[in-house]
Amino acid sequence: IVVTGSDDHLWKMWALPDGNILMTGEGHTDWLSGCCFRPSGTQLVTSSGDTTVRIWDLSRRGCILTLKGHARTVQDCSWHSQGDYVASASMDSTSKIWDVNSERCRYTLRGHKDSVNSVEFLPFSSTLLTSSADKTLSLWDSRTVSRLF
């Protein structure tokens, strides 16, 4: 199974190797820039040019949560390995850590001087990696929101 996002504002889940579409998600109002499965495989997070991050419940076949708070396009998204937190990277030069259970932004990471283009939780740790158009990488401790590197 693979998930893709597109300029048509949709994400699609495909079966491999036959290429059949298993599911389609609609609700974003601009292009999709990223998608990532929850580690349990029951949900999906997507990021979009519409400045939102959305959580999708795959068994319900729909969006269950829209996270708003970025001022510009959200470039990327990532689930924490425990599944309770999602990180997002935006063209507004920030990354955010979202608490999925409380449905709100827990932290905003500031420090890059240009668009944050990718974000990834390191497996089984509290460390978050961001990369930016300012030509830097940063490692963050997501518990204290301190920059490690």
Side-chain angles (χ1 to χ4, degrees), residues 6-149:
S6 173
D7 287 348
D8 65 5
H9 311 182
L10 303 174
W11 60 264
K12 293 181 182 177
M13 184 183 302
W14 307 79
L16 296 178
D18 59 16
N20 291 331
I21 296 175
L22 302 174
M23 194 178 304
T24 300
E26 55 183 277
H28 281 291
T29 59
D30 207 339
W31 59 282
L32 270 71
S33 53
C35 29
C36 182
F37 283 107
R38 187 176 188 147
S40 65
T42 59
Q43 294 177 334
L44 182 74
V45 62
T46 57
S47 54
S48 172
D50 67 11
T51 73
T52 68
V53 174
R54 289 182 180 248
I55 308 291
W56 306 82
D57 187 299
L58 299 177
S59 65
R60 293 185 197 170
R61 296 180 169 260
C63 178
I64 58 169
L65 179 60
T66 301
L67 302 168
K68 298 177 181 179
H70 282 293
R72 296 186 61 200
T73 294
V74 183
Q75 296 278 70
D76 196 20
C77 53
S78 174
W79 279 101
H80 185 270
S81 55
Q82 291 181 337
D84 294 329
Y85 298 97
V86 165
S88 58
S90 174
M91 289 183 73
D92 66 10
S93 303
T94 69
S95 292
K96 292 185 180 288
I97 299 173
W98 305 89
D99 183 328
V100 176
N101 297 319
S102 70
E103 302 181 357
R104 65 182 184 88
C105 178
R106 184 161 180 159
Y107 302 113
T108 299
L109 310 176
R110 291 179 172 84
H112 286 294
K113 293 178 173 53
D114 205 341
S115 172
V116 183
N117 297 329
S118 68
V119 63
E120 189 70 37
F121 280 106
L122 275 60
F124 308 104
S125 83
S126 61
T127 305
L128 187 70
L129 173 67
T130 57
S131 68
S132 172
D134 66 14
K135 300 180 183 172
T136 65
L137 299 172
S138 292
L139 288 173
W140 307 82
D141 184 329
S142 63
R143 295 169 301 181
T144 62
V145 196
S146 58
R147 198 181 219 175
L148 303 173
F149 170 77

